[in-house]
Amino acid sequence: MTRQDESAPCDRSDASACGDDTRRRVLLAGVGLLTVPAGCAQVSGPGGAGRAAVAAPHGGADPQRGSAAQASGDASSPTSISGSGSGAARPVRIGLALGGGAARGFAHVGVVRALEEAGIRPSVVAGTSAGSVVGALYASGMPPDRLEAVALALEQGALGDWSLSLRSLMRGQALQSVVNRHVGARPIERFALPYGAVVTDLYNGAMRVLRSGDAGLAVRASSAVPGVFEPVRIDGREYVDGGLSSPIPVRAARSLGADVVIAVDISAKPKFQSTDSMAGVLLQTFAIMSGHLAEAELKEADLVLRPEVGDLSAAEFSSREHAVLQGRMAVRKALPEIRALAARRVAVR
């Protein structure tokens, strides 16, 4: 039995049983990404290990600590922000909300790199599904150029660990291992930036934010597309893909202490695609559902970046360089607005 800290909390079969195309689409539908009441919860799960913390989506933790145990206050309450002015004030804390979108998630890498090149560094990072992967690597302290190199070198097969159980096609342990390897096996609370991975409580549909403990396990839960990956069990409850409850985690970013939030929307507008396979049905279902869910939460963001990747398939790993470029371009186009946000000050009470 292992432990995982939240915010708001088979046997392996021969992979040849599926055709190459189906395997590729199913894998990337779940993690091609590269998609919570305060307290501590017991974590268990097939192959899972480590600790992580669960905090309520409106529990405002000290952004310099990122520990769910210290969550307090209401992160959704208004913050007194001004353009400049005088008096006791501090710079705004910029939150980056990285949305889900499977292989389109490579655009997040370009966003992060372009922001840093412009001299703008987010104070907190929240990620859902694909966004949770990029977000974890970046928040861990990985330099943007290194992050891009890791993303472009990622092998599709490195994320697949087939189980073909009655509940899923893959376990998700491979993704957990890849993330932990790249963050040096450090728990989330030892990251350079406060970070939260958004997950969905499979029992009641509630959104939760994992913000301490085993980083790989948190990302695994955030990316656990039902039917593709096994749900991740935490203290007797099971968690699945965060895209089911918060496709673009604006509220999660605020719960981590952000004064202003830059949301990155890499979703694709629902359009008909082949639905003659389980992978196709899952992709179309997620596109429809996520589109409706994202609309409301995006209205709460201070700025929304939309890299032009909507025409890319969720399983299109081959276009990763194009996605990265589109992420960079989205930031460059919005630089005046981003700089204006970064120049704001927050009154110190």
Side-chain angles (χ1 to χ4, degrees):
M1 190 66 107
T2 56
R3 291 180 61 86
Q4 181 85 20
D5 177 21
E6 323 167 28
S7 272
C10 293
D11 292 334
R12 183 176 302 184
S13 297
D14 186 354
S16 64
C18 296
D20 290 342
D21 183 64
T22 298
R23 280 183 289 167
R24 186 173 76 94
R25 290 171 60 79
V26 170
L27 171 60
L28 298 179
V31 298
L33 358 242
L34 294 199
T35 144
V36 219
C40 193
Q42 193 76 19
V43 174
S44 67
R51 297 173 57 91
V54 181
H58 294 298
D62 180 346
Q64 298 305 315
R65 302 192 179 215
S67 171
Q70 297 172 355
S72 64
D74 184 351
S76 64
S77 60
T79 302
S80 179
I81 301 178
S82 61
S84 55
S86 59
R90 62 167 174 78
V92 294
R93 297 189 184 104
I94 297 176
L96 196 57
L98 304 178
R104 292 186 295 273
F106 286 109
H108 292 317
V109 176
V111 167
V112 166
R113 185 158 191 179
L115 284 174
E116 292 235 354
E117 289 174 348
I120 298 167
R121 192 169 193 242
S123 299
V124 303
V125 181
T128 292
S129 198
S132 76
V133 179
V134 176
L137 300 186
Y138 176 59
S140 74
M142 182 178 288
D145 56 345
R146 171 62 180 161
L147 175 59
E148 183 171 341
V150 168
L152 296 181
L154 182 69
E155 294 291 336
Q156 297 179 26
L159 304 178
D161 50 357
W162 298 87
S163 69
L164 297 181
S165 69
L166 293 177
R167 304 184 72 193
S168 66
L169 295 175
M170 289 180 284
R171 297 171 59 218
Q173 179 65 47
L175 173 61
Q176 179 177 341
S177 298
V178 166
V179 171
N180 279 334
R181 182 171 70 253
H182 285 298
V183 302
R186 282 175 296 149
I188 295 171
E189 60 269 28
R190 291 181 56 197
F191 279 6
L193 298 174
Y195 164 76
V198 173
V199 298
T200 302
D201 188 319
L202 186 58
Y203 295 161
N204 61 20
M207 185 267 276
R208 300 288 184 262
V209 181
L210 305 181
R211 59 186 189 185
S212 71
D214 187 320
L217 187 62
V219 169
R220 174 183 174 184
S222 183
S223 307
V225 176
V228 178
F229 290 106
E230 293 177 349
V232 176
R233 183 172 293 275
I234 298 173
D235 195 23
R237 302 185 75 82
E238 291 186 308
Y239 295 92
V240 293
D241 196 292
L244 290 167
S245 57
S246 181
I248 305 169
V250 175
R251 293 165 190 158
R254 291 201 191 279
S255 79
L256 290 168
D259 300 311
V260 298
V261 176
I262 298 174
V264 185
D265 179 7
I266 56 169
S267 61
K269 296 297 182 183
K271 60 183 179 181
F272 180 75
Q273 63 177 350
S274 175
T275 53
D276 56 1
S277 68
M278 181 168 63
V281 172
L282 284 170
L283 288 170
Q284 182 70 348
T285 300
F286 261 69
I288 294 171
M289 176 198 65
S290 296
H292 291 297
L293 284 174
E295 286 180 8
E297 195 161 357
L298 281 175
K299 293 178 181 178
E300 300 175 25
D302 295 275
L303 179 66
V304 180
L305 301 180
R306 291 188 171 89
E308 297 181 10
V309 293
D311 58 335
L312 299 182
S313 164
E316 203 165 339
F317 245 61
S318 61
S319 296
R320 66 182 83 184
E321 292 185 2
H322 172 72
V324 171
L325 176 60
Q326 291 304 315
R328 293 170 68 95
M329 292 179 64
V331 170
R332 290 170 183 169
K333 290 177 182 177
L335 260 183
E337 295 92 332
I338 296 173
R339 291 192 189 282
L341 286 176
R344 293 183 181 181
R345 308 284 292 180
V346 177
V348 178
R349 298 176 181 176

